[in-house]
Amino acid sequence: MKLRKVSAAAATAVVLALTATACGGDDGGDNGGSGSGGGDKIKIGIKYDQPGLGLKEPDGSFSGFDVDVATYVAKELGYEPNQIEWVETKSADRENALSRGDVKFIAATYSITDERKQKVDFAGPYLLAHQDLLVKKDSDITEATDLNDKKLCSVTGSTSAQNVKNDFAPKAQLNQRGGYSECLSALQSGAVDALTTDDSILAGYAAQEQYKGQFKLAGLKLSNENYGIGVKKGDTETVNKINDALEKMVSDGSWKKAVEENFGPAGYKNEPAPKIGQIVQ
């Protein structure tokens, strides 16, 4: 391999560029900085496609319970809303995003599991969700066993519907779609009888303006999903600070307000705010 000669001017430019990068530039350098403001930014991972939890609106703004929680936490860490850079973190890439340092923390319907704790640390939990069913307002489906000989929709790749079939309704007819919006359209038209996933996700979708009043949650607790805030493995300091922020959010009423605003229209009967470090199996 031949090596090219680099001019003195070019070499100087490279050195200056590297120096600027080392100083952190405009992005806060370490995806979080010290939390002292002064132009630093914090990068936070969320979902972009889950109404009521983490949604990128058409105007470029963000809404949802996870967004509200993350914004509150960031404020307690020393960052104003305009210092937050929201980063889309899909489920399959959450651990990698943290290990690479792409984000400071992740609030994205991130259930705390023993397997995940081998790769990342968690603050929280900040919400206890359950697998549930979403049905039409006038549906007579009240139990998972009622799904025998009925059509049950879930998103491709999800294990939720299969869990229902295995444990409660062996004669359920599974119907997989590419996304939750497609399942909702099928439920609305009568092509399927129910949709299943976490109750918080179902409530968020059902609370959308175009669906208000059409669906209801069955109110079942088919699993326990302890949503936590993911942090890079070994960053105990950040975990402790986030836990303090979550406790304050509950005590000052902000947590309850966020739940009601994001899930209330769907009649979501939420669990009380979980205790920090208390995982419900």
Side-chain angles (χ1 to χ4, degrees), residues 134-136 151 153 182-195 215-216:
L134 189 71
V135 297
K136 280 190 171 181
K151 295 177 181 178
C153 194
E182 294 176 41
C183 278
L184 275 169
S185 295
L187 182 60
Q188 186 179 42
S189 68
V192 300
D193 300 294
L195 162 61
F215 307 121
K216 65 181 179 181

Side-chain angles (χ1 to χ4, degrees), residues 3 17 32 62 67-68 92-93 102 110 130 133 147 158 163 189 201 203 212 238 244 246 254 269 271 280:
L3 297 177
F62 296 89
V67 173
D68 290 345
D93 195 45
D102 295 346
Y110 204 179
H130 306 283
L133 303 176
L147 290 169
S158 169
N163 291 341
S189 68
I201 296 175
K212 282 184 179 179
T238 298
D244 289 343
L246 293 175
S254 299
K269 296 179 176 60
E271 297 277 7
V280 178

Side-chain angles (χ1 to χ4, degrees), residues 167-179:
D167 299 335
F168 303 99
K171 294 182 181 179
Q173 302 171 35
L174 303 189
N175 189 309
Q176 293 190 328
R177 303 289 174 113

